[in-house]
Amino acid sequence: MTTTRRDTDSGRALQGLESGRSSVRLRAALELGTTPDPRFVDTLIARCAIEPEFFVRDMLTWALTRHPVSVTLPRLVREVRSERAQARSQALHTLSKVGDRQAWPAITRSLLSDADPEVARSAWRAAVVLVPDGEAGALAAVLATQLGRGGRETQLSLSRALITLGEVIVPTLRAATADSDPHVRVHALATQRLLRDPDAGFEFAIEEAKRVVALGGAGQEGR
């Protein structure tokens, strides 16, 4: 493909990102990832911040991962400080897919406790991917401050993030089972159960934890 032809196709794809049809935007993102060009990274990131369709955002993330990390990483790190919640969330999601630990300093405590649940969930997922060796315990302690937060989706996301860290979370969870907030205790107990038995299922683990808390138990079972 000649340079002129490539530029023409890329220009068409860039226009496609602005289409009112999600199928056109999806195809445009696919094209921009298939033939990556660093000139278009800023455009892809900007689109992530406003794209309404999940599957298109996911393709935009894929397209960004096809570009050199040296180009995408600084821009994504800048984007996690955006005032727009979707921009922060999608940038964090993309950083988790890029998987370069140079991005770790950008995963701040404020992001891990972001008021927007989608941002917080994205930050948790990114954190457990990017956390440096030896810092998982400290990360677990920060994540544990979010136990009991939100509804089922948010709590399941946090439990999964904690479990990804492995056995290092055991002392943190044990401490949380004695928290004064019953919601924290229930969530900590459920996460303990899932760590021991990943096949238990989150709903079962939560209901079991509620029964334990209602009966005044800690449910630590020696952990």
Side-chain angles (χ1 to χ4, degrees), residues 7 9 45 52 54 75 93 96 104 106 122 137 161 192 199 202-203 209 212 214 216:
D7 286 347
D9 290 347
I45 291 176
F54 169 79
R75 290 166 170 80
H93 174 65
S96 74
W104 170 247
S122 295
Q192 275 187 335
D199 296 325
F202 188 68
E203 296 294 347
V212 171

Side-chain angles (χ1 to χ4, degrees), residues 56 76 88 92 98 120 123 135 154 157 177 183 185 189 196 198:
V56 179
L76 290 169
R88 298 196 302 277
L92 287 162
V98 172
E135 295 193 34
T154 297
S157 183
T177 63
H183 296 95
R185 296 202 301 275
L189 287 167
R196 295 193 303 268

Side-chain angles (χ1 to χ4, degrees), residues 2-211:
T2 65
T3 300
T4 300
R5 172 69 181 279
R6 185 184 303 113
D7 286 347
T8 299
D9 290 347
S10 296
R12 187 180 302 114
L14 288 173
Q15 291 179 345
L17 289 180
E18 305 297 326
S19 171
R21 296 167 54 195
S22 60
S23 60
V24 174
R25 300 196 303 276
L26 181 69
R27 186 166 60 250
L30 174 62
E31 291 177 10
L32 291 169
T34 301
T35 55
D37 187 325
R39 293 177 299 170
F40 306 138
V41 165
D42 286 336
T43 301
L44 289 167
I45 291 176
R47 186 66 209 180
C48 284
I50 60 174
E51 172 55 50
E53 298 292 341
F54 169 79
F55 58 90
V56 179
R57 293 199 301 273
D58 220 35
M59 187 64 76
L60 290 166
T61 283
W62 173 80
L64 285 165
T65 65
R66 296 269 297 158
H67 290 77
V69 173
S70 60
V71 176
T72 58
L73 194 65
R75 290 166 170 80
L76 290 169
V77 166
R78 182 174 66 240
E79 193 75 352
V80 302
R81 299 191 292 270
S82 170
E83 293 185 0
R84 185 188 291 268
Q86 183 172 304
R88 298 196 302 277
S89 175
Q90 199 63 26
L92 287 162
H93 174 65
T94 305
L95 285 172
S96 74
K97 296 302 182 182
V98 172
D100 192 306
R101 287 183 169 179
Q102 292 182 83
W104 170 247
I107 312 300
T108 61
R109 191 183 186 107
S110 63
L111 286 171
L112 294 170
S113 58
D114 198 283
D116 186 282
E118 190 58 44
V119 175
R121 288 195 294 267
S122 295
W124 301 338
R125 290 190 292 266
V128 298
V129 170
L130 302 174
V131 61
D133 295 338
E135 295 193 34
L139 173 59
V142 175
L143 293 180
T145 66
Q146 302 301 296
L147 285 166
R149 172 182 175 175
R152 179 192 181 281
E153 184 179 359
T154 297
Q155 293 192 6
L156 175 57
S157 183
L158 181 59
S159 290
R160 285 174 171 168
L162 283 163
I163 290 167
T164 298
L165 297 176
E167 291 294 317
V168 72
I169 71 173
V170 169
T172 300
L173 289 179
R174 184 184 299 120
T177 63
D179 195 274
S180 60
D181 186 335
H183 296 95
V184 173
R185 296 202 301 275
V186 166
H187 196 184
L189 287 167
T191 306
Q192 275 187 335
R193 177 58 187 266
L194 292 174
L195 179 64
R196 295 193 303 268
D197 181 10
D199 296 325
F202 188 68
E203 296 294 347
F204 175 81
I206 284 287
E207 291 306 314
E208 181 183 62
K210 286 179 179 178
R211 288 193 293 272

